Amino acid sequence: MDTTFIIKPTTYTAFENEAEQIDKCKEWGLLSDKAVKSKTFYYKGSGMNQACDIVGYVDHLTAVIQLSPEQLHCIHPSYLKEMQASTFGSRVSAATDKSNETEVETTSATEPQEPTQQAQESVATPAIDEPVATETSQAEEAEAPAKSKAKKGKAPKLELPEEKVKMTATVQEFTTVPNNFSDTDDEVIIYEAVAMIDPPLEIGVAWSSHSATLKKFELEVGDTITFDAKIIAKKLTKHPVPYKINNPAKIQKTTS
């Protein structure tokens, strides 16, 4: 098997059980909301048509699939979803397949199947097999006013832990951000009074995807929740929100 296209994750979160995998696949649109079990997925890039397992994720835009016991590969969930279509092979030429992996770092605007996600995170994220990511950084917009002021007025960068921590947050707003590879926008939640409980650290404002798991709690503006999650430095598209909450678990609603 040609393995030159393999993009191994430097670090990722493995699913603890099938239920967590099903929940994440529903969030990515790989399974329907009514699905009670997973299904067989196929990787069709680089001239392949091979069954694969979805074993975890790097972040909301980076799934990790297993092609063999020793082969883990990063891929954008939307691109993996496109691969499940029976017409996928007829839409992607052999020449495009052969050049996809070399173009992950030098994407051409005329070949949208495999552009590079340049994640604006505090932890380095590997390049992934993907379409254009929709959650792009808005650092220039957020920092433009600050450039005209003295540097001493700039807030210090927070030292965020790399592992999951216990947190609390209050729902401030429900909104959407554009997704160029879906018929609908991505639903997100913006939180205020975000803080880590252990170790204690004030975060301020942050955001997360309005996933199927969170929708079960029927949250409203003003609700406060506690949860376990990883928090990273990643701005929300078109919103001055600098931090993202990744895949909250063990959620408890403390107010209504």
Side-chain angles (χ1 to χ4, degrees), residues 18-19 22-23 26 31-39:
E18 185 180 13
I22 291 172
D23 247 9
K26 288 180 180 179
L31 292 173
S32 70
D33 287 339
K34 296 181 180 180
V36 295
K37 62 180 181 179
S38 191
K39 67 178 184 181

Side-chain angles (χ1 to χ4, degrees), residues 27-226:
E27 180 182 330
W28 285 332
L30 291 167
L31 292 173
S32 70
D33 287 339
K34 296 181 180 180
V36 295
K37 62 180 181 179
S38 191
K39 67 178 184 181
T40 301
F41 294 95
Y42 291 89
Y43 182 86
K44 300 180 182 179
S46 300
M48 297 171 56
N49 187 353
Q50 178 177 332
C52 63
D53 295 320
I54 304 175
V55 297
Y57 57 90
V58 177
D59 56 28
H60 177 61
L61 294 175
T62 315
V64 177
I65 60 174
Q66 187 172 43
L67 297 168
S68 73
E70 291 81 28
Q71 291 180 333
L72 297 178
H73 180 55
C74 294
I75 186 170
H76 193 288
S78 294
Y79 190 48
L80 182 60
K81 182 178 179 180
E82 290 178 13
M83 288 182 178
Q84 308 316 301
S86 59
T87 57
F88 180 83
S90 63
R91 293 186 290 107
V92 181
S93 68
T96 302
D97 279 331
K98 186 176 180 180
S99 62
N100 275 342
E101 305 311 326
T102 60
E103 292 180 350
V104 170
E105 296 180 358
T106 55
T107 304
S108 169
T110 62
E111 297 182 22
Q113 287 81 7
E114 296 268 354
T116 301
Q117 174 195 11
Q118 298 179 347
Q120 303 296 318
E121 302 185 6
S122 60
V123 179
T125 301
I128 62 172
D129 199 354
E130 60 158 354
V132 175
T134 60
E135 296 175 346
T136 56
S137 170
Q138 299 297 314
E140 291 81 7
E141 292 181 14
E143 293 177 4
K147 290 180 181 179
S148 62
K149 299 179 181 179
K151 290 186 178 180
K152 64 180 181 180
K154 187 175 181 179
K157 183 178 180 180
L158 296 178
E159 292 293 333
L160 302 175
E162 295 186 8
E163 67 281 353
K164 281 188 173 183
V165 292
K166 194 165 189 64
M167 304 182 66
T168 181
T170 300
V171 177
Q172 174 179 291
E173 179 185 353
F174 297 92
T175 187
T176 59
V177 292
N179 184 337
N180 296 329
F181 295 90
S182 174
D183 293 334
T184 58
D185 292 344
D186 290 337
E187 297 179 68
V188 300
I189 303 177
I190 298 177
Y191 305 90
E192 60 185 355
V194 180
M196 290 164 39
I197 297 175
D198 186 20
L201 178 66
E202 296 291 332
I203 303 297
V205 292
W207 66 281
S208 76
S209 299
H210 196 182
S211 64
T213 299
L214 283 166
K215 287 180 180 178
K216 294 176 183 177
F217 290 86
E218 299 181 346
L219 297 174
E220 297 179 358
V221 173
D223 283 348
T224 297
I225 56 174
T226 59

